[in-house]
Every structure is written in structure tokens, then in C-alpha cells.
Amino acid sequence: MKLPVTCAQCMQEDIANAMITATVEFKDDGRYEILCPKGHSSITLLQQQKFEILFDIGAYAIVDGYYREAVSSFTSALERFYEFFIKVVCISKNIDWSNTQEAWKEVSNQSERQLGAFIFLHLQETGSKPTLLSNNKIKFRNEVVHKGKIPSKEQATEYGQAVLDVVRPLLKKLKEEYGDAVGMATFQHLSNTRNPSDDGVAVSTMCISTILSLSNGEPAHDDRSLKDAISQLRRW
Ligand SMILES: [Zn+2]
């Protein structure tokens, strides 16, 4: 899975004729430094949150035949989505960002703590407990991730679909009812991605269409099954 990037300076000079100047490997920090054929050095910041990227990595792993890796990436996408949900709710309560980060440190190394935080924040926000992955799916995931089970393509796809079914209604809720906080979280994410050394260099922000997407507003995009979404993936 690669990311097509356009030179930020070429875009500033002539946006109509700026072309994709590099395809890069995905990075953890979402910050891509590229040198274009015209000799410009520029920075591209990827707007997508971790859960959006991780879920797509899982989908591409299915295309490539790495089903264990797909299950692992879908699982990470779900965990990072819970983190995003928690942080957006905190932002919506006007809690100071540094305080939220401090609190997150206490749960950051233990996914069970994060899940607990998510369940009770969800209860507090909506009055009911969230729909989680079924016990069958959790058992399957543990067998794959911890016991070396080799899943079939169908099993990995079903698992990804189950993750999609858990995240989508929550994502919809965040987009509809927590729009301002989601915007703040995006702003925060991009400022964290930026480096102090980027001042004075052409910097652009890039938005890609992921299967789980904070930015895509078309209902049809979110109605697709994972199987359909996979069949529409682009390769760079
Ligand atoms: Zn350029």
C-alpha cells in the first residue's frame, strides 16, 4: 500500500498542472518529505487519523493475501478508533488537551484500560453501553494474533466487516453530533504532525478517501460492504 503525493510548492505555483510527484510508503507520523523533479523540497501532512489508515492497511492486506496481517490491522484500527472517540468526547467537554494527553498516558499501554474508558464514556454520552465485537470474533482475533492461527480470506473479511459494523455507527455519531470536536481533533492531529523545522518550507495537507472516513460525507461510501470497498481500492 502506497500513498501518491504531490509537491506542495508545485501546487502553490500552479495548482492546475501540479502532478503526483512521488509514491511513498505509509509512515507512522503522517509527515512526508519529498523532493520533486523540479528540485523543490516540500512537506505533505496526511490528514487521516490512525484508525482510518490502519483499516485501509488491513483491507490492502486482504487484497495481497496476508490474512493474519489483515486481522491484526483491523484490530489496531478498532483500538485506535476507541482512542479517537475518547479524545473527541474530551475535546467536546472543553477539557484542556494537555490534560487529556496526561490521562491517556495512564491507559496508553493497556488496551483493556482503553476499552473500559471507552465503554463508560459511551454510556455517559448516550445512555447505553456500546455495541462491541462479539465474543466469537474476539476469540477468533486472539487465536490469530496470539496463537498463530492462519485465517482464510473469508474469515479475515468477515472479521473486518465486524469491525466496520462496530465503528461505522459511532463514526456517524461523531461526525453528526461532535462535528466541532472532530474538527479540533483534526487540527490537533495536523499540528502534532508538523515539525518545527517545517517553517519556511512549502507545506500542504493531503486528504485521502479511506474506507472508514471522517471526511467522506457521501452516505453510499459508508453503505458499502467491506468486500465491495476492497474491490474498489486503488493501487499506486
Ligand atoms: Zn515541485
Side-chain angles (χ1 to χ4, degrees), residues 17-165:
N17 292 309
M19 313 230 285
I20 292 167
T21 40
T23 50
V24 297
E25 302 273 349
F26 275 84
K27 283 173 61 190
D28 195 59
D29 64 3
R31 178 182 171 277
Y32 299 89
E33 200 165 351
I34 59 163
L35 187 66
C36 91
K38 289 185 182 171
H40 306 138
S41 175
S42 70
I43 310 289
T44 298
L45 309 175
L46 187 60
Q47 185 176 313
Q48 271 56 50
Q49 298 282 340
K50 226 22 171 329
F51 72 88
E52 301 177 277
I53 300 296
L54 285 166
F55 195 87
D56 267 36
I57 288 177
Y60 276 101
I62 286 186
V63 176
D64 292 338
Y66 294 106
Y67 308 127
R68 280 178 53 79
E69 287 73 6
V71 169
S72 161
S73 291
F74 289 143
T75 300
S76 299
L78 180 61
E79 289 176 353
R80 296 290 60 81
F81 176 75
Y82 289 154
E83 175 182 357
F84 183 74
F85 183 96
I86 291 167
K87 289 182 173 172
V88 165
V89 169
C90 290
I91 291 173
S92 77
K93 308 289 179 213
N94 297 317
I95 293 169
D96 193 71
W97 182 245
S98 60
N99 289 351
T100 302
Q101 283 177 307
E102 278 292 298
W104 184 258
K105 274 187 200 155
E106 300 294 340
V107 305
S108 67
N109 288 328
Q110 282 151 290
S111 58
E112 287 298 316
R113 284 189 178 185
Q114 296 166 20
L115 181 62
F118 165 73
I119 290 171
F120 276 87
L121 264 193
H122 185 281
L123 177 65
Q124 199 186 358
E125 287 299 290
T126 68
S128 59
K129 79 178 178 78
T131 304
L132 301 170
L133 277 187
S134 70
N135 285 335
N136 270 342
K137 288 283 180 284
I138 292 170
K139 187 167 168 270
F140 166 75
R141 175 197 69 199
N142 288 342
E143 283 172 0
V144 171
V145 176
H146 301 303
K147 296 182 186 169
K149 181 185 173 69
I150 302 174
S152 67
K153 181 178 186 179
E154 283 63 40
Q155 287 172 321
T157 309
E158 265 178 38
Y159 179 78
Q161 182 67 49
V163 170
L164 209 52
D165 293 341

Side-chain angles (χ1 to χ4, degrees), residues 1-2 4 20 56 60 63 209 229-236:
M1 183 185 175
K2 290 200 170 180
I20 292 167
D56 267 36
Y60 276 101
V63 176
S209 178
I230 286 175
S231 71
Q232 294 162 12
L233 284 176
R234 297 187 67 176
R235 302 218 71 124
W236 296 98

